[in-house]
Amino acid sequence: MNNNLNEVEILLVEDNLSDAELIIRSLKKVNLANHLVHVKDGVEALEFIFATGVYAGREQKNIPKVILLDIKMPRINGIEVLRQIKSNEVTKAIPVVIMTSSKEEKDIIVSYKLGVNSFVVKPVDFNSFAKAVSELGMYWVLINQPPLK
Amino acid sequence: MIFSTQSKAFKNLQVQEDLFRVFLDFSDYAVLMLDSKGYIVSWNKGAEYIYGYTTAEIIEKHISHFYTQAEIEKGMPEQDLKNAKEKGRYERESIRHKKDGTPFSANTILTAVFDEDGGIASFANITRDISVQKKLEEENKLLNDQLEEKVKARTQELAIVNKELEAFSYSVSHDLRTPLRAISGYSMILKEDYESQLDDEGKRILNVILDNTTMMGELIDDLLSFSKMSRLEAVHESINMNKIVQSCIHDLLKKENQDQYNITIHPLPNCKGDPSMLRQVWLNLVGNALKYTSKKSKPAVEVGTIDDSGKNIYYVKDNGAGFDMKYYDKLFGVFQRLHRQDEFEGTGLGLALAKRIVSKHSGEIWGEASPGNGATFYFYIPKTI
């Protein structure tokens, strides 16, 4: 994981520490966790993205290549974080992948309406989960061409 | 002949007199005769009973005596007489007062009696006390209103309960999966990173943990689709059952050794219903047939229909493990199983879900079997729902 907050490739927003560890482990296996920052709820995520609060020193123009966003989190949930990212001119181009445990259709519909780039249901089975995470990481970090800074 | 006619006329007269006497004594109706101007010339016992005046007190009083001051000011007594005069008969309901001031609901029929020249000779004013009837009507209306209120309140309560259930299943879907993934994930890490340090028993235990997390994941998924299916409204389209069954079997056999099964599919008539729901029914019935025949040396599954006087009954027949009809009442229950997990895996929701779906289509589902000799499941969906 990286301490330079201006070179972040993956922003992981996940309140469940076990899920976070499993995600990071899966990304490490495909060498994608070197530039990863893990924030633990929606408030922290917004502070990072908009370079406020504890992340006030960060340069906001250095946007991550992808944000992996959980939905169900205390304080501010993932849907609200998504709404704020996608309604801001500076941040709306950041690819956001919702990763959630529930297949709830209304979450899927709302997320796409708000402009989510991908919606992934976390498989319970760890092998499928690890595979989904590493493929996802490879696609967004290595294959996808982000907008020019 | 003449004598007999006279006798008949005489008899008729007597009948009429009798009738008149009965009428005068009749206590349910106040019968008042008014002159052409509306003054009371006679009244019966019923009038005394209903209004509370003696004959002496009321004779020669004007009919307006029974009207309220407000009605008199509006000219209603004259208007009523005028209406009776013009129409011959005029009926209305009003509030009248007894001598002691007690109000009562009255139904009054005012009939004009004409003389030979067509002028008004008199009026008959017949009044009935309908207070009891009115009270019943009002009570009835009140009860109806209350019932409507109750239905509204109950409907609202149900909507709230439904919302809560939705929130509940959402929570189940999310909150149960997360710790399960942790159990599965950390067991997997243990396996990947520390397997070399475990002996055979340690490895076995780890695999049991992993198998059970998979099982619980399936349970959660089934439970969710069950609760979802219960909430969803069925859509009604024409369905090609042949296609659905083919695709179900194709999907189901992906996991199995295809060649071992002898599967016969007879042509199936189309059906009207919800395609994705009915696909689930076929998946569960055919899936069960494949599962419970999997241990037979020559597993056979047959899908077809029976025409029962116009009703298309679909069936799935297998030569598998079957079950004892003694436990039939448990068959379609939620989380009910007739086989142990180590015999045949399952969550105990498949047939419950199938039944829920068929019921949603106003259809029926049933089965018959005997242990070791296979099972047959039948269902039908009415053509017009």
Side-chain angles (χ1 to χ4, degrees):
Chain A
M1 277 200 258
N2 189 21
N3 289 327
N4 185 348
L5 296 178
N6 289 320
E7 274 179 34
V8 172
E9 286 184 335
I10 298 176
L11 176 68
L12 173 63
V13 188
E14 173 63 75
D15 66 317
N16 184 295
L17 298 185
S18 306
D19 267 2
E21 189 178 344
L22 297 175
I23 290 170
I24 292 166
R25 180 184 162 98
S26 307
L27 289 171
K28 259 187 193 156
K29 282 193 175 173
V30 284
N31 285 321
L32 288 174
N34 297 329
H35 301 281
L36 180 145
V37 164
H38 172 210
V39 292
K40 297 176 185 68
D41 64 28
V43 173
E44 222 184 307
L46 290 172
E47 283 183 355
F48 182 92
I49 293 158
F50 294 104
T52 58
V54 292
Y55 294 101
R58 204 179 76 83
E59 281 183 63
Q60 202 198 340
K61 67 176 170 46
N62 294 316
I63 59 173
K65 282 187 177 172
V66 66
I67 296 173
L68 304 181
L69 184 60
D70 186 23
I71 290 188
K72 210 177 164 202
M73 294 182 293
R75 300 202 285 174
I76 295 179
N77 69 21
I79 298 286
E80 183 53 32
V81 172
L82 177 68
R83 190 192 313 278
Q84 295 205 23
I85 293 171
K86 292 298 181 186
S87 59
N88 181 292
E89 278 308 314
V90 183
T91 57
K92 72 195 282 185
I94 308 174
V96 178
V97 177
I98 292 261
M99 293 185 70
T100 175
S101 291
S102 88
K103 274 181 213 166
E104 199 62 27
E105 256 158 54
K106 63 171 191 260
D107 282 345
I108 301 178
I109 293 165
V110 169
S111 300
Y112 275 107
K113 273 190 184 153
L114 290 175
V116 77
N117 300 79
S118 199
F119 192 105
V120 178
V121 178
K122 297 174 191 166
V124 167
D125 170 64
F126 179 69
N127 285 330
S128 323
F129 181 66
K131 192 161 168 269
V133 170
S134 57
E135 280 173 4
L136 198 77
M138 286 205 273
Y139 175 77
W140 287 105
V141 175
L142 302 178
I143 300 173
N144 185 53
Q145 179 65 54
L148 294 174
K149 282 183 191 172
Chain B
M1 280 301 275
I2 293 167
F3 179 76
S4 92
T5 314
Q6 272 179 340
S7 158
K8 204 172 179 184
F10 181 70
K11 240 185 177 170
N12 271 346
L13 199 64
Q14 218 170 19
V15 166
Q16 277 192 5
E17 268 180 14
D18 287 346
L19 187 68
F20 188 61
R21 199 166 299 119
V22 167
F23 223 48
L24 282 178
D25 288 344
F26 209 46
S27 63
D28 293 344
Y29 289 84
V31 184
L32 284 76
M33 290 306 293
L34 315 178
D35 68 10
S36 59
K37 302 265 191 266
Y39 287 93
I40 299 162
V41 290
S42 79
W43 86 341
N44 72 341
K45 280 210 175 119
E48 263 188 60
Y49 176 72
I50 290 173
Y51 285 110
Y53 293 95
T54 62
T55 310
E57 282 173 317
I58 210 68
I59 292 296
E60 290 180 1
K61 288 267 182 349
H62 194 258
I63 187 66
S64 59
H65 189 78
F66 298 122
Y67 286 67
T68 62
Q69 198 54 41
E71 284 173 326
I72 293 168
E73 276 164 21
K74 278 191 219 158
M76 286 182 78
E78 292 77 18
Q79 190 60 45
D80 285 354
L81 290 173
K82 196 175 163 234
N83 282 332
K85 195 172 158 184
E86 280 167 7
K87 295 168 188 159
R89 180 185 187 276
Y90 179 67
E91 179 174 358
R92 77 181 182 99
E93 286 179 9
S94 60
I95 299 294
R96 294 260 162 119
H97 293 84
K98 291 178 191 283
K99 186 188 172 186
D100 63 8
T102 318
F104 65 95
S105 293
N107 172 282
T108 301
I109 300 169
L110 197 57
T111 313
V113 182
F114 298 94
D115 61 19
E116 284 166 0
D117 306 326
I120 286 291
S122 56
F123 292 100
N125 180 314
I126 301 169
T127 300
R128 195 160 48 98
D129 181 348
I130 56 168
S131 298
V132 174
Q133 189 189 329
K134 277 275 158 192
K135 203 176 158 211
L136 282 175
E137 274 173 21
E138 271 162 30
E139 280 174 0
N140 215 358
K141 190 179 175 297
L142 193 71
L143 279 177
N144 266 333
D145 289 352
Q146 282 174 345
L147 194 67
E148 225 162 88
E149 282 297 310
K150 264 187 192 162
V151 169
K152 258 190 214 160
R154 197 54 59 84
T155 311
Q156 234 164 10
E157 274 169 33
L158 272 178
I160 292 169
V161 170
N162 235 356
K163 266 249 150 74
E164 279 172 1
L165 267 178
E166 253 175 69
F168 176 74
S169 69
Y170 181 91
S171 177
V172 166
S173 140
H174 187 280
D175 296 346
L176 288 190
R177 274 204 186 103
T178 307
L180 192 59
R181 191 165 43 247
I183 298 170
S184 145
Y186 283 92
S187 308
M188 210 62 204
I189 292 175
L190 201 60
K191 194 177 168 123
E192 283 177 5
D193 296 358
Y194 300 95
E195 197 172 22
S196 57
Q197 294 172 43
L198 293 173
D199 63 8
D200 285 351
E201 181 62 3
K203 285 175 198 163
R204 188 188 68 83
I205 289 169
L206 203 49
N207 283 326
V208 171
I209 295 173
L210 284 167
D211 286 350
N212 276 286
T213 55
T214 311
M215 173 73 195
M216 187 161 169
E218 280 168 18
L219 266 172
I220 293 172
D221 285 346
D222 281 4
L223 197 58
L224 276 176
S225 58
F226 185 75
S227 91
K228 206 169 171 182
M229 214 50 99
S230 311
R231 279 186 279 135
L232 283 181
E233 281 299 318
V235 297
H236 292 113
E237 294 169 15
S238 182
I239 305 171
N240 183 335
M241 290 295 229
N242 291 300
K243 265 194 185 167
I244 288 198
V245 171
Q246 293 286 2
S247 104
C248 285
I249 288 174
H250 177 262
D251 288 358
L252 287 164
L253 285 182
K254 270 184 195 163
K255 298 177 202 159
E256 309 278 341
N257 174 15
Q258 302 204 18
D259 302 330
Q260 70 164 331
Y261 289 99
N262 177 11
I263 299 176
T264 316
I265 308 171
H266 300 290
L268 303 170
N270 285 2
C271 160
K272 264 212 152 90
D274 188 303
S276 66
M277 286 191 187
L278 288 175
R279 186 173 195 280
Q280 188 69 51
V281 174
W282 282 115
L283 264 183
N284 294 359
L285 294 183
V286 178
N288 276 351
L290 295 177
K291 174 161 73 183
Y292 293 108
T293 52
S294 61
K295 291 181 181 171
K296 291 274 167 176
S297 57
K298 284 179 183 163
V301 177
E302 183 187 329
V303 180
T305 51
I306 303 165
D307 185 347
D308 177 29
S309 47
K311 262 199 281 191
N312 289 323
I313 299 173
Y314 300 94
Y315 69 86
V316 179
K317 184 179 165 66
D318 67 57
N319 66 345
F323 56 86
D324 193 332
M325 288 299 274
K326 186 160 78 174
Y327 305 113
Y328 185 79
D329 55 336
K330 288 188 170 182
L331 198 60
F332 293 98
V334 177
F335 287 132
Q336 295 286 352
R337 298 212 61 215
L338 300 186
H339 296 90
R340 289 197 318 270
Q341 202 63 26
D342 61 340
E343 296 173 314
F344 297 98
E345 287 186 350
T347 58
L349 275 166
L351 286 177
L353 185 56
K355 188 182 168 76
R356 193 59 75 95
I357 293 169
V358 172
S359 300
K360 250 189 194 292
H361 287 79
S362 311
E364 272 180 66
I365 184 165
W366 66 99
E368 57 190 32
S370 64
N373 292 320
T376 309
F377 281 89
Y378 305 87
F379 73 94
Y380 88 94
I381 306 288
K383 282 170 187 167
T384 49
I385 302 168

